[in-house]
Amino acid sequence: WYAMARAGSLAEFRKAIEPLAIPMFNIMYADQEGNIFYVYNAAVPRRMEGFTWSEPVDGSDPRTEWRGYHELSELPQLLNPPSGFLQNCNQTPFTTTIGGNPQPDDFPSYMVSEKDNPRGQISRRLLSRKEKFTFDSLCEAGFDTTVLLAEEQIPAIARAWELAKRSDRRRAKRLEGPVSELKEWDCIARVDSTAMTLFAVWAELGKFKLDPRKDPRGALRNLDRAVAGLRWYYGTWHVPWGEINRLQRAPPEKERSFSDSSPSLPIAGGPGWLGMVFNFYARKAKGQKRRYGVAGHSYVSVVSFGPTIRSSSILVFGQNADPASPHHLDQARLFARREFKPALFSREEIEKNSLRVYHPGEQDPKSRREKKNTGKK
């Protein structure tokens, strides 16, 4: 990690990661020369083909012995693709960009097990639709809340409902309002969106796999269940997404002990499997009506390279885990509004904005003042 941070060129960066000392994690690189580089980084054992390596193998068979590790040059990677962008949302390296991706046939079958995923798909679409991004437009893209799965499946839900008007009129009548709500939605999640809540609950009931094109009756049955569940839980199925999708920092000693009676913030993001860039996984809290975030977007940063570096970043809560610190929760409202703060890069910027300046290992000047004021040495 230290060598990566100290690298001053692409060649030095590649040399830093060449030992494969980091046994997993995708790695991306960019520099002010305009280079962008991606590698499916991993310490991958060199194995014999012909075995199902995702399952246990016979250890007494000498053919199952590892034969060292694949070198960096043998891993799927991309340098300066014609598309002009790279992205990875933990999906297969073979769908990293638009065109020019590594090809599966060029690598052992055991090397890559991941498939493509909805978050990777929406990221590629978002990045490929613009010839150029400004700094501000890239900040907006980092918190995009388009719901790809909704775009794909709501038309099929609507067709299933049209069929039900002839074969299951009672259900079709019950679902007329919810289907109309989904059809009128632009498939962009917002904190005031009731359609987002309805669609997300519907998708969860299908265990993320129900395709209304293949099972129209099952799709309507689950929509009926989603409407009934929302009415039972909240008294109405018209529930704004931000009302139940919340951000709350629980006390350290009670981590993930969420409470509806404690302060929290509405969040527009949602789970990555729905095909959303703004990734926010919330779970139901025991004894509570709301859901609270436990994973997803964490540290988000946008950086513009050049003679003068410009960068912005945001954390979910704040820099300090101490509830008494002013920096315990000072970034949460920005995060909830999908906004960034400046990320100070140059020494001049840092010194200009510093509250206190001292050398590590020396006594904090603030502490010296506090002791002097109390009469202590």
Side-chain angles (χ1 to χ4, degrees), residues 308-323:
T308 302
I309 298 292
R310 182 186 177 189
S311 58
S312 293
S313 66
I314 194 70
L315 286 172
V316 183
F317 298 116
Q319 186 67 39
N320 201 309
D322 182 2

Side-chain angles (χ1 to χ4, degrees), residues 17-153:
I17 63 175
E18 194 170 359
L20 302 176
I22 303 170
M24 61 170 288
F25 296 126
N26 295 291
I27 292 177
M28 283 195 188
Y29 167 97
D31 63 28
Q32 63 182 7
E33 304 300 323
N35 294 308
I36 53 175
F37 170 67
Y38 161 78
V39 60
Y40 179 75
N41 173 71
V44 181
R46 196 182 301 276
R47 295 160 166 162
M48 182 174 285
E49 294 274 23
F51 291 90
T52 305
W53 289 102
S54 59
E55 299 177 2
V57 296
D58 183 1
S60 66
D61 187 336
R63 294 176 301 166
T64 64
E65 290 287 340
W66 293 359
R67 292 164 174 80
Y69 291 87
H70 286 277
E71 297 177 1
L72 177 66
S73 60
E74 298 176 297
L75 303 178
Q77 52 196 279
L78 271 169
L79 174 65
N80 299 332
S83 65
F85 74 86
L86 297 168
Q87 65 77 40
N88 190 276
C89 296
N90 296 324
Q91 93 291 332
T92 172
F94 306 133
T95 58
T96 299
T97 189
I98 302 295
N101 285 298
Q103 295 302 303
D105 292 344
D106 293 336
F107 303 91
S109 60
Y110 59 75
M111 182 172 282
V112 177
S113 60
E114 297 89 348
K115 306 297 182 183
D116 199 11
N117 63 41
R119 193 171 180 229
Q121 292 165 17
I122 191 66
S123 296
R124 292 194 300 275
R125 189 178 82 176
L126 193 69
L127 292 167
S128 63
R129 283 186 170 181
K130 281 193 176 185
E131 183 68 25
K132 296 286 185 181
F133 279 87
T134 65
F135 188 89
D136 291 337
S137 65
L138 195 55
C139 286
E140 292 176 7
F143 277 97
D144 187 84
T145 58
T146 302
V147 187
L148 182 65
L149 201 67
E151 290 184 355
E152 296 173 349
Q153 297 198 349

Side-chain angles (χ1 to χ4, degrees), residues 10 62 120 127 138 142 214 223 263 273 296 309 327:
L10 176 59
L127 292 167
L138 195 55
K214 298 178 180 177
L223 184 59
W273 54 263
I309 298 292
H327 304 297

Side-chain angles (χ1 to χ4, degrees), residues 247-250 293 315-319 327-332 335:
L247 177 67
Q248 185 178 94
R249 189 166 200 179
L315 286 172
V316 183
F317 298 116
Q319 186 67 39
H327 304 297
H328 178 67
L329 208 61
D330 59 341
Q331 297 185 48
F335 181 87

Side-chain angles (χ1 to χ4, degrees), residues 58-345:
D58 183 1
S60 66
D61 187 336
R63 294 176 301 166
T64 64
E65 290 287 340
W66 293 359
R67 292 164 174 80
Y69 291 87
H70 286 277
E71 297 177 1
L72 177 66
S73 60
E74 298 176 297
L75 303 178
Q77 52 196 279
L78 271 169
L79 174 65
N80 299 332
S83 65
F85 74 86
L86 297 168
Q87 65 77 40
N88 190 276
C89 296
N90 296 324
Q91 93 291 332
T92 172
F94 306 133
T95 58
T96 299
T97 189
I98 302 295
N101 285 298
Q103 295 302 303
D105 292 344
D106 293 336
F107 303 91
S109 60
Y110 59 75
M111 182 172 282
V112 177
S113 60
E114 297 89 348
K115 306 297 182 183
D116 199 11
N117 63 41
R119 193 171 180 229
Q121 292 165 17
I122 191 66
S123 296
R124 292 194 300 275
R125 189 178 82 176
L126 193 69
L127 292 167
S128 63
R129 283 186 170 181
K130 281 193 176 185
E131 183 68 25
K132 296 286 185 181
F133 279 87
T134 65
F135 188 89
D136 291 337
S137 65
L138 195 55
C139 286
E140 292 176 7
F143 277 97
D144 187 84
T145 58
T146 302
V147 187
L148 182 65
L149 201 67
E151 290 184 355
E152 296 173 349
Q153 297 198 349
I154 286 177
I157 293 173
R159 286 194 294 272
W161 179 75
E162 291 290 344
L163 292 172
K165 287 197 293 185
R166 297 192 296 270
S167 61
D168 192 350
R169 294 180 181 178
R170 292 179 63 184
R171 173 166 282 165
K173 183 65 177 176
R174 282 199 308 272
L175 295 178
E176 184 175 3
V179 170
S180 177
E181 184 92 359
L182 292 175
K183 288 169 63 178
E184 292 173 5
W185 182 36
D186 62 2
C187 299
I188 296 176
R190 301 177 181 86
V191 294
D192 62 352
S193 172
T194 56
M196 174 60 186
T197 304
L198 184 60
F199 181 79
V201 173
W202 171 84
E204 289 172 356
L205 289 172
K207 299 189 183 300
F208 327 132
K209 298 177 182 178
L210 180 62
D211 188 340
R213 293 164 292 191
K214 298 178 180 177
D215 186 4
R217 289 186 178 181
L220 285 190
R221 184 171 58 249
N222 277 2
L223 184 59
D224 216 351
R225 290 174 60 200
V227 170
L230 288 168
R231 279 180 175 149
W232 180 85
Y233 219 61
Y234 302 102
T236 176
W237 62 267
H238 293 277
V239 182
W241 182 234
E243 177 60 31
I244 65 170
N245 199 51
R246 310 291 291 190
L247 177 67
Q248 185 178 94
R249 189 166 200 179
E253 69 276 7
K254 297 181 180 178
E255 189 176 356
R256 296 193 178 184
S257 179
F258 302 112
S259 172
D260 290 347
S261 61
S262 298
S264 63
L265 296 166
I267 297 295
W273 54 263
L274 285 178
M276 299 180 69
V277 171
F278 184 3
N279 207 14
F280 187 81
Y281 287 90
R283 67 168 174 81
K284 296 176 181 177
K286 186 177 181 180
Q288 312 301 311
K289 287 193 172 183
R290 288 171 160 174
R291 306 173 178 200
Y292 296 93
V294 295
H297 256 39
S298 51
Y299 168 77
V300 189
S301 180
V302 178
V303 181
S304 175
F305 291 90
T308 302
I309 298 292
R310 182 186 177 189
S311 58
S312 293
S313 66
I314 194 70
L315 286 172
V316 183
F317 298 116
Q319 186 67 39
N320 201 309
D322 182 2
S325 168
H327 304 297
H328 178 67
L329 208 61
D330 59 341
Q331 297 185 48
R333 291 191 180 279
L334 289 173
F335 181 87
R337 294 197 302 262
R338 292 180 279 171
E339 297 176 1
F340 290 83
K341 61 172 179 57
L344 306 181
F345 185 82

